[in-house]
Amino acid sequence: MKSLLKSTIIAAAAAALMTGTASAGDLVINFDDPNPAPKAGFEAAVEAFKKANPDVNVTVNINDREAHKTAIRNFLSADAPDVTAWYPGNRMAPFVDAGQFEDISDLWASDPNLSTSFEAIKPTMTRDGKQWGVPYSYYQWGIYYRKDIFDDNNVSVPATWDELLTACDTLKEAGVTPFTIGTKFLWTAAGVFDYLNLRTNGYEVHNDLTAGKVKYTDPRIKETFANWQTMLERCSFVDNHATMSWQDAVAPFAKGEAAMYVMGNFAVAAFKDAGLTEDQIDYFQFPEITPGLARAEEAPADALFIPSNAKNKEDAKKFLSFIAQPEIQAEWNKTIGQLPPNSKSEIADDKFIQKGFETVSTASGLAQFYDRDAPAEMAKAGMEGFQEFMVKPDRLDAILERLDKIQARVYE
Amino acid sequence: MSTVESTDNADIVAAVDNRSWFRKNRLAIAPWLFLAPAIIFFLIYVILPIFQSIWISFYEWDGLGEATWLGLGNYIELLDDDRFYTSLWNNLLWLFLFLLAVPAGLFIALFLNQTVFGMRLYKSLFFFPFVISQVVVGLIFTWFYNPNFGIVAEIWGWFDASPPSILGDERYVTYGIIFAGLWPQIAYCMILYLTGLNNVSPDQVEAGRLDGAKGWKMLWYVILPQLWPATFLAIVVTVIGALRSFDMIAIMTQGGPYGSSNVLSYFMYEQALSEYGFRMGYGSAIAVVLFLIMLVFISYFLWSMYQEEKGGH
């Protein structure tokens, strides 16, 4: 009788222990892109992780990108997953400052990949001298153009500002609008602004502006806008861009009504979906404006983070270190057509990826993007200002003064 | 005999007194019991948040970290914010232009209030825009207005004119959205008037006719006064609909171009809850202003309903 009782207790305790270990092996990941290619890339990485760690029970939630941006505020405090997708740079700042993301500096110091192969991207993952996430992908920006239209009009790829303006003149004479853009959701205009500013004033001024150290009425920023004004006049953009999304703006590009598009590499898939072939489209770096200025590029990264409230941080770190491996990053980015942040990863055999890698790896500095480098509130006001400037260039002074006012408040 | 009677009375009195408090006050309590679930939820989800919003509007808070007391800081900032005035002005435009739905609904209702073969079908067709979701209406009108392939572009094309970019031009954008919003709202007012017209007493129309009233005079002096309850309801619904206009703007322009089609409700959402926002305090301050504006109308409506009820008794 006594022994029976004893064994029952032991069995119960063992059962409790077993369930205990089982729940410690649950890993919940919230990902933010349900589009076919990003989903496939992510799921392949998760499958590989499962195979390497059969004891970890992985659960994956894939949210819509926009929904994820709102949901993250709730789930970080209420029902935190063990790993979540988010953006580096200033976009992670609110969560880092509120103590909602886990400091993983130890992982960056000890992991063989993170400590050696992520030098270029490390600063964007760093805040307060600590690292907060692991990037799985990034992509170049630049000018995508219709090679066939350029060839038909004997326009060669412009390397300098003057060449670009001359190319625009030729295109306009041929009845082609030089640039397409859709600014309904604002951020596309920030891409143009960032490049003009990076080429006019360089990387430092970009960082100082987005860090609130340079005013919008600063003569250097005014110089950037003066160049933009020239671009608006000679390299006009498509009409009605304020009502179009970036996808809508692909239509004039595909129809041959516009010849160039300042965009990120994710747009290539959309160009091909719109019926353009590999031979019709190509990529070149945004031309030099101030001669001799060190070339910096836009290269926004996507990353994974561990929430502070995660239940299984041990396996979460295991997962982050797993996806930092060169082979995993190579495979993942081949699927989604982007660049692996691990410098030892192989890159896909695709002309856009190859050129992008060439562009990014030789750049003197990598900017995230205006709306990731600047605090969210400043970014919103700034991008509205850019859009207004594109539609009503004569309001420039009023716009810049308004932005100064907002800047003074946001960074106080 | 008398003793028996008195004991009976005593028994009854005792029985009455023995009833529990609940049984004694049943009639008074029952309505409150039935109302209780609604009252509790109304308190938790409507009344309490109002005070919470007012409270939050005195703080600077990003929804995550510590909130810092600002006092009236958010309101002072609001007074200095151009976007606030743009939104306020657009709200006024919405308010006045949206009221056009009331007369428009009335005339469609008068037009449809006849006995012709297939009238029910026509009525349902006119009512149709109210049945489809606002989001769909917004999307359809966005396409209508599209200067490249929209119907507006087609019509302008007939006259060889280059079409205006209605949603991309700060001068037209708010009117464009209001026009889209009017479509379902007219249908709603029309239905209110159609039911109202069913209750117009034929005797009075007949009497008016004998006295020589017809056309506009008949409408103005005989029909419209009888339609007052429907008119009142239509105005209430339209004013509130105009003040809380949100979905159309979110779908059609997101407040753009550069914030020129914002209204207070969308501005509040943008500041407090959107991708680039999370200024809970500032958003709450906007919400409080919107609430005060609504309060003016709501208290007028409640007051006039109260007056009417008093007059009725």
Side-chain angles (χ1 to χ4, degrees):
Chain A
M1 187 67 193
K2 207 173 184 182
S3 67
L4 181 68
L5 187 70
K6 211 173 185 178
S7 60
T8 322
I9 290 172
I10 290 168
L17 262 177
M18 271 166 69
T19 51
T21 46
S23 70
D26 281 334
L27 184 69
V28 182
I29 307 174
N30 283 11
F31 192 65
D32 70 339
D33 202 336
N35 288 311
K39 184 165 176 264
F42 168 69
E43 279 174 346
V46 169
E47 280 311 313
F49 178 75
K50 277 185 189 165
K51 215 166 264 173
N53 299 278
D55 56 319
V56 181
N57 176 25
V58 187
T59 313
V60 167
N61 308 311
I62 301 184
N63 273 326
D64 170 68
R65 218 170 169 83
E66 299 304 318
H68 182 84
K69 286 175 182 166
T70 343
I72 189 169
R73 298 205 149 233
N74 294 327
F75 69 62
L76 279 186
S77 44
D79 182 22
D82 300 304
V83 175
T84 181
W86 193 241
Y87 314 102
N90 230 314
R91 274 303 186 82
M92 70 180 183
F95 301 121
V96 169
D97 296 346
Q100 303 258 31
F101 279 160
E102 183 81 359
D103 171 13
I104 53 164
S105 306
D106 54 333
L107 193 68
W108 276 80
S110 62
D111 185 81
N113 291 301
L114 289 171
S115 57
T116 57
S117 314
F118 285 77
E119 291 308 318
I121 208 140
K122 195 174 176 182
T124 59
M125 303 306 310
T126 305
R127 187 172 171 83
D128 303 334
K130 296 168 190 149
Q131 286 76 46
W132 303 92
V134 173
Y136 61 85
S137 176
Y138 73 132
Y139 51 91
Q140 82 274 15
W141 272 65
I143 298 182
Y144 291 82
Y145 69 104
R146 285 286 301 268
K147 198 169 172 10
D148 48 348
I149 298 179
F150 269 47
D151 290 345
D152 288 347
N153 296 292
N154 292 321
V155 178
S156 54
V157 170
T160 65
W161 185 235
D162 281 333
E163 284 175 27
L164 178 69
L165 296 178
T166 320
C168 289
D169 293 342
T170 316
L171 288 169
K172 272 172 114 174
E173 269 166 39
V176 178
T177 311
F179 280 96
T180 185
I181 193 170
T183 61
K184 182 178 179 187
F185 297 96
L186 305 175
W187 53 267
T188 45
V192 179
F193 170 79
D194 270 352
Y195 265 115
L196 288 164
N197 197 30
L198 286 171
R199 293 291 183 267
T200 310
N201 298 310
Y203 188 54
E204 288 304 308
V205 173
H206 168 89
N207 283 341
D208 287 350
L209 180 75
T210 50
K213 291 178 201 151
V214 167
K215 286 185 162 215
Y216 285 82
T217 48
D218 187 284
R220 287 171 292 179
I221 305 299
K222 283 194 167 167
E223 180 68 32
T224 301
F225 277 99
N227 285 330
W228 201 348
Q229 175 103 44
T230 314
M231 189 175 173
L232 288 175
E233 279 158 17
R234 287 180 65 185
C235 291
S236 46
F237 289 83
V238 288
D239 292 337
N240 311 316
H241 58 76
T243 59
M244 293 194 283
S245 68
W246 76 264
Q247 290 98 332
D248 295 338
V250 172
F253 188 69
K255 281 191 242 162
E257 293 164 7
M260 289 180 274
Y261 202 171
V262 179
M263 253 295 141
N265 198 54
F266 55 84
V268 171
F271 298 155
K272 288 181 180 163
D273 286 346
L276 293 169
T277 61
E278 188 94 10
D279 301 328
Q280 285 177 294
I281 37 176
D282 210 340
Y283 165 88
F284 64 87
Q285 292 167 8
F286 200 96
E288 180 179 81
I289 296 179
T290 305
L293 196 69
R295 183 174 54 82
E297 295 290 335
E298 298 248 69
D302 293 322
L304 295 172
F305 296 81
I306 304 178
S308 308
N309 292 335
K311 289 170 202 78
N312 186 3
K313 289 177 188 168
E314 199 178 310
D315 284 330
K317 281 185 181 172
K318 211 187 259 177
F319 182 75
L320 290 194
S321 117
F322 183 81
I323 60 135
Q325 297 176 90
E327 308 80 46
I328 298 293
Q329 295 229 325
E331 204 50 47
W332 191 338
N333 285 288
K334 260 178 207 167
T335 314
I336 58 182
Q338 295 186 3
L339 296 165
N342 186 325
S343 56
K344 297 208 174 65
S345 290
E346 252 179 62
I347 53 166
D349 182 25
D350 166 282
K351 74 173 172 188
F352 295 103
I353 302 285
Q354 299 278 354
K355 285 187 181 178
F357 183 73
E358 154 79 21
T359 302
V360 170
S361 58
T362 56
S364 70
L366 294 184
Q368 277 296 301
F369 198 76
Y370 181 79
D371 77 345
R372 294 191 190 178
D373 286 332
E377 211 193 315
M378 185 71 240
K380 167 82 180 175
M383 295 191 304
E384 273 187 2
F386 302 154
Q387 190 197 34
E388 185 169 358
F389 171 74
M390 288 184 74
V391 181
K392 307 265 174 187
D394 47 309
R395 291 197 194 153
L396 177 62
D397 290 327
I399 295 170
L400 293 181
E401 265 157 41
R402 190 177 70 221
L403 293 184
D404 267 0
K405 201 164 86 179
I406 292 165
Q407 191 190 40
R409 199 196 57 240
V410 171
Y411 297 88
E412 70 188 355
Chain B
M1 186 74 180
S2 66
T3 44
V4 173
E5 213 165 70
S6 71
T7 41
D8 273 2
N9 275 343
D11 277 355
I12 290 165
V13 170
V16 167
D17 279 349
N18 278 344
R19 287 185 315 175
S20 65
W21 176 86
F22 174 75
R23 283 179 168 266
K24 271 187 280 183
N25 298 295
R26 233 186 337 201
L27 274 181
I29 296 171
W32 290 105
L33 270 183
F34 282 110
L35 281 175
I39 289 180
I40 290 169
F41 281 100
F42 192 71
L43 279 176
I44 294 177
Y45 291 110
V46 178
I47 304 296
L48 207 64
I50 291 176
F51 290 101
Q52 260 179 332
S53 301
I54 296 175
W55 187 240
I56 294 172
S57 74
F58 296 124
Y59 284 91
E60 160 131 49
W61 185 41
D62 66 354
L64 289 171
E66 286 294 300
T68 19
W69 175 262
L70 280 186
L72 288 174
N74 282 324
Y75 293 94
I76 293 165
E77 191 193 325
L78 210 52
L79 289 179
D80 193 33
D81 193 334
D82 301 336
R83 291 168 300 172
F84 172 66
Y85 292 109
T86 313
S87 311
L88 198 62
W89 170 244
N90 284 339
N91 254 123
L92 290 177
L93 278 181
W94 267 90
L95 202 55
F96 290 120
L97 294 180
F98 219 44
L99 280 173
L100 289 177
V102 178
L106 171 66
F107 286 113
I108 295 178
L110 289 171
F111 173 66
L112 289 180
N113 192 38
Q114 27 187 322
T115 37
V116 179
F117 174 73
M119 203 34 134
R120 283 187 184 195
L121 178 69
Y122 304 142
K123 281 183 188 170
S124 358
L125 285 178
F126 270 94
F127 187 57
F128 189 65
F130 187 71
V131 181
I132 45 181
S133 142
Q134 295 260 310
V135 174
V136 177
V137 173
L139 209 59
I140 293 173
F141 271 82
T142 311
W143 291 333
F144 277 173
Y145 291 152
N146 187 303
N148 300 321
F149 57 76
I151 193 154
V152 170
E154 290 287 320
I155 294 171
W156 254 255
W158 294 341
F159 302 104
D160 275 333
S162 67
S165 170
I166 292 175
L167 295 181
D169 191 315
E170 57 179 20
R171 287 169 299 174
Y172 313 132
V173 61
T174 300
Y175 300 102
I177 303 173
I178 295 173
F179 188 73
L182 274 176
W183 189 44
Q185 192 65 26
I186 288 174
Y188 192 25
C189 293
M190 177 201 80
I191 275 292
L192 290 174
Y193 276 120
L194 274 178
T195 41
L197 282 170
N198 277 340
N199 297 329
V200 168
S201 99
D203 320 354
Q204 290 188 29
V205 176
E206 195 61 28
R209 200 161 278 156
L210 286 176
D211 287 343
K214 55 187 171 191
W216 289 104
K217 281 207 160 144
M218 175 70 109
L219 176 67
W220 188 255
Y221 291 107
V222 181
I223 310 282
L224 264 189
Q226 296 190 58
L227 285 176
W228 171 243
T231 310
F232 181 72
L233 203 58
I235 292 177
V236 172
V237 170
T238 308
V239 164
I240 291 176
L243 284 174
R244 50 174 231 187
S245 50
F246 175 87
D247 16 20
M248 287 283 184
I249 292 156
I251 286 299
M252 295 177 75
T253 61
Q254 299 213 318
Y258 41 87
S260 49
S261 64
N262 249 339
V263 293
L264 288 176
S265 57
Y266 194 79
F267 185 40
M268 168 192 76
Y269 163 79
E270 201 179 78
Q271 291 295 317
L273 298 163
S274 75
E275 188 184 346
Y276 300 109
F278 291 108
R279 299 182 67 204
M280 293 293 175
Y282 198 52
S284 300
I286 301 165
V288 170
V289 172
L290 185 58
F291 173 67
L292 291 177
I293 297 173
M294 283 201 176
L295 205 59
V296 172
F297 289 98
I298 293 171
S299 31
Y300 167 73
F301 293 144
L302 287 178
W303 178 79
S304 69
M305 265 199 282
Y306 176 70
Q307 290 297 319
E308 220 154 273
E309 228 159 77
K310 241 181 20 179
H313 283 294

